[in-house]
């Protein structure tokens, strides 16, 4: 009968063999074994951190696809297959969380225009529409702190991307996103007060 330590060493050797076979021979059987071993563990991690079954399963797929594609980068001397696969998994999870945050920021930014009065497109040409929207926006923007005004004007009136604005102002992209989020919340409040 094997001890827990011997069993663990045997499992590590087996995983190393599977990962090596995937890296060197593109062995589908070895990959299938890795998939069956890691999929439930990655799913559990995804459920804890992403809080969605669909996203947890997407994390499983993205991680194990990356394992297939990057297996040749695994170096046994630097760590166990477990450590390497979980590092790949965490990186994939961070990427998913970043995409979610960027998506939320884009949606938040696009929410501003519906707050302003709609313009009947049949009565105004596009340039006239932009001028009306700019005037409406300017009416509220002056109520914001200077740093938030700068971001709103850059994004909506100068049509700069968030990254272009971050580069121009020499601040991190996350700072620009935070300023925009706060500005949009304040603008919504102001528009709401005007409508009451």
């Amino acid at each position: 009968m094997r001890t827990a330590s011997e069993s663990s060493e045997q499992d590590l050797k087996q995983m190393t063999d599977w990962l090596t076979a995937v890296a060197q021979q593109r062995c589908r059987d070895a990959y299938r074994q890795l998939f069956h071993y890691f999929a439930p563990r990655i799913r559990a991690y995804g459920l804890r951190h992403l809080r969605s079954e669909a996203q947890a399963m997407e994390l499983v797929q993205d991680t194990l696809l990356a394992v297939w594609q990057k297996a040749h980068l695994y170096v046994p001397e630097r760590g166990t297959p477990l450590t390497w696969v979980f590092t790949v998994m965490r990186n994939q999870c961070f990427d998913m969380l970043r995409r979610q945050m960027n998506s939320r920021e884009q949606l938040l930014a696009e929410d501003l225009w519906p707050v302003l009065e709609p313009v009947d497109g049949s009565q105004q040409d596009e340039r006239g529409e932009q001028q009306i929207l700019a005037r409406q926006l300017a009416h509220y923007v002056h109520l914001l702190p200077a740093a938030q005004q700068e971001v709103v004007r850059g994004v909506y009136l100068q049509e700069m991307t968030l990254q272009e604005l971050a580069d121009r102002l020499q601040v991190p992209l996350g700072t620009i996103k935070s300023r925009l989020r706060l500005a949009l919340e304040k603008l919504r409040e102001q528009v709401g007060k005007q409508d009451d």
Side-chain angles (χ1 to χ4, degrees):
M1 182 176 228
R2 293 190 304 172
T3 66
S5 172
E6 290 171 336
S7 178
S8 180
E9 285 179 31
Q10 183 62 31
D11 290 347
L12 278 177
K13 182 183 179 336
Q14 185 66 65
M15 276 190 272
T16 303
D17 292 345
W18 290 335
L19 199 49
T20 302
V22 170
Q24 295 175 356
Q25 303 154 11
R26 309 305 283 166
C27 177
R28 292 181 185 272
D29 288 334
Y31 179 71
R32 190 175 300 112
Q33 296 297 328
L34 286 170
F35 195 100
H36 287 299
Y37 181 84
F38 283 105
R41 291 161 176 80
I42 296 169
R43 179 182 167 274
Y45 180 90
L47 286 171
R48 275 194 316 273
H49 291 84
L50 301 169
R51 302 178 197 273
S52 158
E53 176 71 29
Q55 290 182 321
M57 293 311 294
E58 184 178 340
L59 179 62
V60 170
Q61 294 298 320
D62 289 353
T63 300
L64 291 169
L65 176 61
V67 167
W68 174 259
Q69 293 170 336
K70 298 177 180 183
H72 65 282
L73 299 175
Y74 171 66
V75 179
E77 294 76 29
R78 291 191 191 160
T80 68
L82 204 61
T83 303
W84 187 78
V85 172
F86 284 160
T87 300
V88 172
M89 174 193 67
R90 280 191 297 275
N91 291 340
Q92 292 294 327
C93 189
F94 291 145
D95 288 346
M96 288 177 71
L97 290 169
R98 251 185 252 120
R99 284 193 303 268
Q100 286 175 359
M101 182 58 83
N102 288 340
S103 175
R104 274 197 289 269
E105 295 294 343
Q106 276 184 321
L107 290 174
L108 186 59
E110 291 167 1
D111 282 348
L112 178 61
W113 295 117
V115 168
L116 301 173
E117 281 181 36
V119 177
D120 183 355
S122 62
Q123 296 175 359
Q124 299 286 337
D125 67 356
E126 194 172 312
R127 195 175 60 180
E129 222 173 274
Q130 284 299 106
Q131 290 172 346
I132 290 170
L133 288 172
R135 276 198 307 274
Q136 288 177 344
L137 182 60
H139 175 73
Y140 296 105
V141 169
H142 78 279
L143 302 170
L144 298 171
Q148 293 173 13
Q149 285 184 35
E150 197 170 28
V151 171
V152 170
R153 286 191 175 107
V155 170
Y156 290 105
L157 303 180
Q158 298 167 16
E159 298 183 5
M160 298 176 74
T161 67
L162 297 180
Q163 185 61 59
E164 289 169 341
L165 198 53
D167 292 343
R168 190 182 91 191
L169 298 176
Q170 297 180 337
V171 296
L173 181 60
T175 301
I176 296 296
K177 290 177 180 181
S178 295
R179 289 178 185 172
L180 180 61
R181 182 174 49 253
L182 291 170
L184 293 177
E185 288 170 4
K186 288 179 184 173
L187 287 171
R188 268 198 208 92
E189 286 174 22
Q190 290 301 320
V191 171
K193 287 178 187 173
Q194 294 293 109
D195 290 344
D196 291 344

